[in-house]
Amino acid sequence: MDPPTGPSLGLYDYDLLVIGGGSGGLAVAKVSSLLILLCKLGGSSFNMDSIRKFLQQATLLGKAVQDSQKYGWRFRHEVKLVMSHGWSDLVQAVQEQLKSASLELMRELKSCGVFYLRARGEIVAPHTVEVNVNGRKRHLTAETLVVATGDRPQYLDIPGDREYCLTSEDLLSLPHPPARTLVVCGSAEGLECAGFLFSLGLQVTVMLLADLLQGFDLKMAEKIENYMFVGGVDFLHHCSLSKVQRHTQTHRDSNAMFLLKTQHHFRLCVLLAVGRKACTSDIGLECVRVQCSQDTGRIVVNERDQTSVDHIYAIGSVQHGRPSTTGLSVHAGKLLTLERTTVCDYTIVPTVVLTPLEYAACGLSEERANLTFGEDSIEVYHSYYWPLEWTLPARNKNSCYVKVICHIPDHRVVGLHVMGPNAGDILQGFVTAMKCGLTKHQLDATVGIHPGAAQSSFLHHQKAQKLEETLTGRGLEDPKTQQNQKTSL
Ligand SMILES: Cc1cc2nc3c(=O)[nH]c(=O)nc-3n(C[C@H](O)[C@H](O)[C@H](O)COP(=O)(O)OP(=O)(O)OC[C@H]3O[C@@H](n4cnc5c(N)ncnc54)[C@H](O)[C@@H]3O)c2cc1C
């Protein structure tokens, strides 16, 4: 819907103007009729979160087809089940779904009475944003501005990376699946892409420049690596990429050659997942003196999401030092518009990594809990579990895992981590419980729903050390240890 062009009644054209139409910006827009500026409808949350979910579903369906024979399904005309994946069919279906979701969103914005412009916005004066509409510059004024411009994939700034490397956002623009893929860096998005490509039967190597899943619980990250490694994904530790160049004998854009510091050469598709850069550098923040962190380039905000300039707010992943999730952006956006009296709580934020075995976490990692409260004040409980539906096809015993981190003095649960099918959905209800101050005693007193993965995971945990002893006693060991033993034999 175009913004009205008639004379403005007040001092400004609008009460509120949002720059950026991702999850944060849209959440603000939907609860108040205002003007929103969009470079791309939906932002990374709208498009990437859906794409990630679709890719994970493609992976899970492949596994389910394999398992289905144990559940009695037979496929006609085939003596033996031969599976293959149609990359272009998936790409087409996902693109069509995104297009129809985008149309649906536009209809929703119209019905909420939101004015929006598809244009890049730049702040040129304290209350003025400049946009370029059909080649014509236009100035829009508003009493309050909200910056919700998100972030975009970062590059390494080495020769050839921008020309020849892909990012997770480019993966589905490939007309064919990449033959071999090197995923550079073990961030959540890197591991998700690696898991998806590997599940299609493609060769994948993950090159780690630093720790796997930085910021997440270290032991959980190790378990994810174990699971993927045993599945067949290669991991290269302590390596860095120094140069990428196109291989002369190939015509496929997805193929490139990368050169390791160790001088080994590989021909393959290079997918960079080395973090994200906030979209804050060219939107006029410096001209109105909005303060950004020198380290991260992200916007410094107070507990009310207000920047160093009173009438300019920032929400979503442009914020400095805050967790970045879609759920949080939406929540903060709604609070900002509905009731500026309630501040958004940036603690106890859940997140999910859609790796082949899903990982969901809420609250503190074990390392962060130790640093915050001291090791002696922390107790860790955990359990391995085997989802009932995995027992029939005899799938991966002892790979699903749960960790509960408690603060000893008040028995409060300060961290919950689960790795298993539908981990995010299992965790969601417990997030509310944590917000209400869930204690270990209350968790113990919770009646489980049987048969279900949530009860077998959260409600049968033991103290960490005890369980390790029990497992070793039963000869049940970490899968990677088993694999390593096999390899060394
Ligand atoms: C690969 C990946 C995995 C993720 N996994 C999860 C997850 O599991 N769970 C989760 O909750 N979150 C996840 N996130 C994070 C989540 O997507 C972000 O936290 C969320 O998108 C932030 O929302 P936002 O509104 O701040 O920014 P965005 O959604 O990025 O939207 C910003 C919008 O602003 C637009 N814009 C930029 N500059 C301008 C300008 N000058 N003028 C006008 N418009 C502009 C952009 O085009 C974009 O449309 C993931 C993100 C990525 C990339």
Side-chain angles (χ1 to χ4, degrees):
M1 188 185 291
D2 275 343
T5 47
S8 122
L9 297 177
L11 194 55
Y12 303 108
D13 300 334
Y14 302 96
D15 292 335
L16 191 64
L17 188 154
V18 184
I19 308 176
S23 51
L26 288 173
V28 177
K30 282 181 194 167
V31 281
S32 56
S33 304
L34 48 71
L35 179 69
I36 183 163
L37 297 177
L38 319 152
C39 266
K40 198 163 93 185
L41 192 64
S44 60
S45 34
F46 185 74
N47 295 316
M48 275 314 290
D49 290 356
S50 319
I51 290 175
R52 293 165 50 231
K53 195 68 192 165
F54 295 142
L55 298 191
Q56 187 203 33
Q57 183 63 7
T59 306
L60 297 178
L61 285 173
K63 273 271 178 216
V65 174
Q66 285 166 8
D67 286 356
S68 63
Q69 291 186 88
K70 283 280 181 194
Y71 281 92
W73 287 102
R74 294 289 173 264
F75 296 83
R76 280 186 212 155
H77 313 304
E78 285 188 15
V79 183
K80 193 167 169 250
L81 185 65
V82 181
M83 277 178 67
S84 68
H85 183 264
W87 177 273
S88 52
D89 293 342
L90 173 71
V91 171
Q92 193 185 341
V94 170
Q95 303 298 7
E96 278 168 14
Q97 172 55 29
L98 292 181
K99 213 186 287 172
S100 87
S102 168
L103 289 173
E104 183 56 40
L105 184 58
M106 272 151 54
R107 270 195 290 272
E108 198 186 345
L109 289 178
K110 263 188 190 167
S111 73
C112 297
V114 174
F115 303 116
Y116 65 85
L117 273 181
R118 280 182 189 252
R120 231 195 118 262
E122 185 175 338
I123 303 173
V124 289
H127 290 273
T128 309
V129 174
E130 182 179 279
V131 291
N132 190 326
V133 187
N134 300 328
R136 227 167 29 96
K137 280 193 180 158
R138 198 168 149 191
H139 283 183
L140 305 162
T141 60
E143 188 174 0
T144 304
L145 300 180
V146 178
V147 180
T149 47
D151 50 18
R152 53 177 171 246
Q154 209 164 4
Y155 286 85
L156 287 168
D157 292 328
I158 55 167
D161 67 343
R162 281 172 200 271
E163 294 94 320
Y164 303 122
C165 294
L166 304 176
T167 70
S168 58
E169 294 185 1
D170 308 317
L171 194 58
L172 281 200
S173 59
L174 290 179
H176 313 280
R180 272 184 75 191
T181 304
L182 175 77
V183 176
V184 181
C185 201
S187 65
E189 54 185 295
L191 283 189
E192 288 180 359
C193 291
F196 163 65
L197 291 171
F198 181 77
S199 75
L200 302 188
L202 306 168
Q203 275 186 52
V204 182
T205 301
V206 178
M207 178 198 268
L208 298 173
L209 307 172
D211 284 344
L212 192 71
L213 286 180
Q214 274 183 347
F216 286 87
D217 188 283
L218 268 179
K219 285 176 198 145
M220 297 303 293
E222 265 171 31
K223 288 190 185 299
I224 291 174
E225 182 184 343
N226 275 339
Y227 187 82
M228 292 178 70
F229 174 77
V230 170
V233 175
D234 282 333
F235 284 84
L236 286 175
H237 288 266
H238 313 298
C239 283
S240 65
L241 200 65
S242 55
K243 180 181 176 185
V244 188
Q245 62 189 56
R246 189 166 180 161
H247 195 272
T248 47
Q249 286 168 357
T250 180
H251 300 291
R252 280 244 215 100
D253 280 341
S254 60
N255 280 322
M257 182 169 76
F258 82 90
L259 189 63
L260 276 178
K261 272 192 175 154
T262 50
Q263 300 301 311
H264 296 306
H265 291 68
F266 297 85
R267 199 148 34 108
L268 77 179
C269 160
V270 182
L271 195 146
L272 292 184
V274 293
R276 301 183 67 86
K277 194 171 185 294
C279 299
T280 51
S281 56
D282 51 1
I283 53 170
L285 296 178
E286 56 299 325
C287 99
V288 286
R289 296 177 188 276
V290 168
Q291 194 196 338
C292 289
S293 153
Q294 288 201 331
D295 293 341
T296 62
R298 291 177 195 262
I299 302 172
V300 178
V301 286
N302 65 14
E303 73 290 348
R304 298 191 177 281
D305 298 331
Q306 201 170 23
T307 69
S308 51
V309 177
D310 281 358
H311 68 278
I312 303 182
Y313 292 78
I315 53 165
S317 48
V318 280
Q319 290 185 341
H320 168 70
R322 295 260 175 85
S324 167
T325 76
T326 301
L328 197 55
S329 301
V330 172
H331 188 63
K334 276 188 196 159
L335 283 181
L336 191 67
T337 340
L338 284 177
E339 27 176 347
R340 280 190 215 163
T341 44
T342 312
V343 296
C344 181
D345 179 3
Y346 285 93
T347 61
I348 314 185
V349 175
T351 187
V352 68
V353 184
L354 303 179
T355 31
L357 198 53
E358 194 168 304
Y359 167 40
C362 183
L364 303 179
S365 64
E366 192 176 335
E367 297 74 36
R368 176 61 54 192
N370 285 337
L371 275 177
T372 311
F373 300 108
E375 260 178 61
D376 295 341
S377 303
I378 290 299
E379 209 152 47
V380 178
Y381 296 85
H382 68 179
S383 72
Y384 288 88
Y385 66 99
W386 202 17
L388 200 58
E389 60 275 24
W390 282 20
T391 56
L392 217 57
R395 243 216 263 170
N396 308 71
K397 203 171 180 179
N398 285 316
S399 45
C400 300
Y401 179 78
V402 161
K403 184 192 262 196
V404 181
I405 303 165
C406 301
H407 182 225
I408 295 173
D410 55 5
H411 307 287
R412 207 159 34 94
V413 176
V414 292
L416 279 181
H417 302 261
V418 55
M419 190 179 137
N422 305 309
D425 292 332
I426 290 178
L427 194 67
Q428 184 67 75
F430 290 97
V431 178
T432 311
M434 282 178 77
K435 282 266 183 207
C436 300
L438 176 71
T439 64
K440 175 72 174 47
H441 301 316
Q442 288 166 336
L443 197 57
D444 292 342
T446 302
V447 177
I449 298 174
H450 193 80
Q455 60 95 31
S456 47
S457 53
F458 275 119
L459 309 177
H460 294 293
H461 46 256
Q462 300 176 37
K463 250 192 200 168
Q465 207 184 346
K466 244 195 227 165
L467 189 77
E468 294 294 1
E469 284 161 11
T470 321
L471 283 177
T472 322
R474 281 197 224 139
L476 297 171
E477 287 169 293
D478 203 291
K480 193 171 171 187
T481 321
Q482 290 175 9
Q483 172 86 6
N484 286 344
Q485 280 173 355
K486 270 187 213 151
T487 319
S488 60
L489 285 172

